Amino acid sequence: MAKLKVYRTPIGFHDAYVAATSQKAALAAWGSTHDLFARGVAEVVDDPALTAAPLASPGTVVKRSRGTAAEQIAALPAARPTRRAAPHDAAEPDAPAPAPVRKARAPRPDRSRLDAAEEAVTQAAARASSAQRALRAEETALAKRRRTMEREQEDERERLDAARQAAADAYDGAMRRWRG
């Protein structure tokens, strides 16, 4: 079994320690995809006071704060101003600060083509709706004409069947009389 070494890398206000068999295993434990050792950000630690906790749980990342909260706050860079202060002329202390220079805005984009396209879509939908209403009215009228025609044909067929039956009865009667 390979001998464990303790590795350290800074993470924010903490140092992350891990006991691992290789640098690759340490990088995996930290979740790093970059070679922190080649960049000089990670190192091997030999101090027995710093290696005791990581050696007690190999492969587990142990975080230790780098100083007190007051020391960490003191180490922060000075706050940068959010706006640059305008230099004031020493001869005129009451002179107003120069007005900020505004960048000219580009003109608002022309919407006329979009409006025309939307109007064309609306008109096409209205034409389609009107055409569908006209077709439905035409279908209703054709259905009514068909029913009327079917009734007239039925009436004519019944009338013609009655006339044919009357002619057949008359013929049969004439044939009976002729025979005898």
Side-chain angles (χ1 to χ4, degrees), residues 134-153:
L135 283 175
R136 280 194 294 273
E138 198 173 321
E139 287 172 345
T140 302
L142 286 172
K144 185 177 178 182
R145 277 183 55 199
R146 186 186 73 239
R147 286 191 304 272
T148 302
M149 181 185 71
E150 287 172 349
R151 253 185 272 122
E152 289 172 353
Q153 287 175 347

Side-chain angles (χ1 to χ4, degrees), residues 119-135:
E119 181 62 26
V121 169
T122 301
Q123 288 177 1
R127 282 192 308 271
S129 179
S130 176
Q132 288 175 355
R133 279 193 306 275
L135 283 175

Side-chain angles (χ1 to χ4, degrees), residues 160-171:
L160 292 173
D161 278 345
R164 184 186 56 78
Q165 188 62 44
D169 290 344
Y171 176 74

Side-chain angles (χ1 to χ4, degrees), residues 92-108:
E92 299 179 40
D94 294 333
V101 177
R102 286 196 162 184
K103 228 167 133 180
R105 290 185 77 183
R108 186 179 196 123

Side-chain angles (χ1 to χ4, degrees), residues 17-34:
Y17 295 87
V18 66
T21 56
S22 66
Q23 291 180 355
K24 184 177 179 181
L27 291 170
W30 290 323
S32 177
T33 57
H34 302 289

